[in-house]
Amino acid sequence: MDITLRLAQQPEADELLSRSPLAVMTGMLLDQQVPMEWAFTGPYTIARRMGGDDLDAHAIAAHDPEEFAALLSQKPAVHRYPGSMAGRVQQLCQYLVDHYDGDASAVWRDVPTGAEVLKRLNALPGYGKQKSQILLALLGKQMGVTPEGWREAAGPYGDADAHRSAADITGPETLDQVRAFKQEAKRARKNT
């Protein structure tokens, strides 16, 4: 399936996300405590610094941890916390190597139900329920992965007209809508 993701809002990074399930999974992992575009540009930056045009779970998992942390720490850093995120990316890749022969798309490929995909995503290192539901919603809304019950398993992130997460970003306008939703939710939490 030919897809075009616009999560990084940068053509080269979005092109990688559009063709690489591991890049999407890594970007989602990095999407915490930094702007979404920064997180989803991270996989492209990692690939370039490793001398390639894609991510390889085997190569990342086997990389020397100190060298990998240094790679993510180079200016501009891949994340606000490059050292700890380097460890998380390596843990994710090692899990994929151990359980899926390094193939990120095997986590959801040919899985009959959204509940089972969610269960598999929840098992990934660095993924909790919310991150797993957002990735499931992204898979369903933009990547053509629609097993039975995927919207229900994705919770509110699966809602058709939602503007609440990375799953709903298709360009600058929807990025602004997601940001506005998050700011409003944050204000509502402060006022309770």
Side-chain angles (χ1 to χ4, degrees), residues 71-137:
L71 185 125
L72 269 67
S73 298
Q74 292 173 16
K75 301 290 183 206
V78 168
H79 193 274
R80 182 177 178 184
Y81 302 106
S84 64
M85 293 311 290
R88 288 182 182 184
V89 170
Q90 284 193 292
Q91 289 170 350
L92 173 65
C93 288
Q94 187 63 59
Y95 183 88
L96 292 171
V97 168
D98 292 345
H99 296 273
Y100 297 99
D101 195 29
D103 180 3
S105 67
V107 174
W108 56 78
R109 187 176 46 248
D110 301 324
V111 179
T113 68
E116 180 61 27
V117 174
L118 183 63
K119 180 179 172 186
R120 289 177 174 208
L121 292 172
N122 276 327
L124 297 173
Y127 275 69
K129 181 181 178 185
Q130 184 178 30
K131 193 173 289 289
S132 296
Q133 285 182 313
I134 293 169
L135 181 52
L136 178 56

Side-chain angles (χ1 to χ4, degrees), residues 16 42 49 57 93 101 117 127 143 149 159 166 172 180 182 190:
L16 174 60
R49 290 180 183 173
C93 288
D101 195 29
V117 174
Y127 275 69
M143 298 175 68
D159 292 349
K182 289 182 175 214
K190 271 186 168 181

Side-chain angles (χ1 to χ4, degrees), residues 6-10 13-14 17 27 30-32 34-45 78 166 169 171-172 175-176 179:
R6 291 189 173 87
L7 302 171
Q9 304 286 302
Q10 178 194 46
D14 282 331
L17 294 167
L30 295 170
D31 188 17
Q32 55 189 11
V34 296
M36 283 181 277
E37 310 94 309
W38 186 3
F40 284 100
T41 300
Y44 175 76
T45 304
V78 168
I169 297 172
L175 174 63
D176 290 343
R179 281 215 169 95

